[in-house]
Amino acid sequence: MQIAEVAKRYGISVDTIRYYERIGLVPHVTRLPNGIRDFTEYDCGWVEFIRCMRESGVQIEALVEYVALFQEGEHTAAARLEILEEQRAKLVAKLEEMQATAKRLDAKIASYRPGGECSDGGDEWLRKPFLTSACPDNHLFTARGESPKVSLS
């Protein structure tokens, strides 16, 4: 299968596949006598695996290390497992953050529905100045990051 077909099959660009091959994520794609890549189902399996891992947020560096270890042989299984467990832990943490954000969005959306606390006035609280400990000297800022002319006396 040629690279354009692989790209179409997995919904990624030809350049991305070339990049993955160049950095070792898709190992040893054979070439036809004219130099055109000839992807086997095995090669496509690597492309699909890498695409899946990248879409899940797995870092390129971790994948490069994983593939290199895989190519070294079975004696690297423990190291590969460690990489996968690390990446899974990062993914789970990211999912938890996303779930918390989704809950907050659900609550915000509900507040705009009839009878919700924002249904009549919108987000007035966002327009008021507030103190933030994240800013040096506890400067006052609006939600837009502007420094309002407000006296603290």
Side-chain angles (χ1 to χ4, degrees):
M1 181 180 308
Q2 292 186 6
I3 196 167
E5 295 169 286
V6 175
K8 185 176 180 180
R9 182 177 185 178
Y10 295 107
I12 56 180
S13 73
V14 167
D15 288 336
T16 298
I17 295 171
R18 287 183 182 129
Y19 171 69
Y20 288 169
E21 183 187 7
R22 188 172 60 251
I23 64 171
L25 292 180
V26 182
H28 311 297
V29 175
T30 58
R31 292 183 182 249
L32 299 172
N34 60 2
I36 293 175
R37 291 169 181 85
D38 185 24
F39 286 81
T40 64
E41 283 304 313
Y42 178 79
D43 300 326
C44 288
W46 277 109
V47 172
E48 192 277 329
F49 172 73
I50 298 304
R51 181 190 58 85
C52 176
M53 294 296 105
R54 289 296 296 141
E55 285 180 357
S56 300
V58 175
Q59 300 168 330
I60 289 277
E61 296 81 8
L63 289 170
V64 168
E65 184 179 358
Y66 176 87
V67 173
L69 288 168
F70 182 87
Q71 290 177 314
E72 286 181 33
E74 201 54 41
H75 69 280
T76 65
R80 287 182 277 145
L81 175 61
E82 187 177 327
I83 291 169
L84 295 175
E85 288 175 338
E86 269 179 34
Q87 294 303 310
R88 185 183 188 286
K90 288 179 182 181
L91 177 60
V92 168
K94 188 176 176 181
L95 284 170
E96 288 170 357
E97 286 178 28
M98 292 174 76
Q99 287 173 334
T101 301
K103 273 184 155 180
R104 187 167 184 183
L105 281 170
D106 288 344
K108 193 65 181 165
I109 290 166
S111 74
Y112 280 94
R113 303 241 186 257
E117 62 189 62
C118 291
S119 61
D120 57 351
D123 289 321
E124 288 303 315
W125 67 274
L126 285 173
R127 293 173 196 50
K128 296 178 183 172
F130 60 92
L131 280 173
T132 174
S133 60
C135 297
D137 304 320
N138 284 330
H139 291 293
L140 277 172
F141 288 92
T142 66
R144 293 184 200 99
E146 302 157 343
S147 184
K149 296 180 178 28
V150 177
S151 171
L152 293 176
S153 51

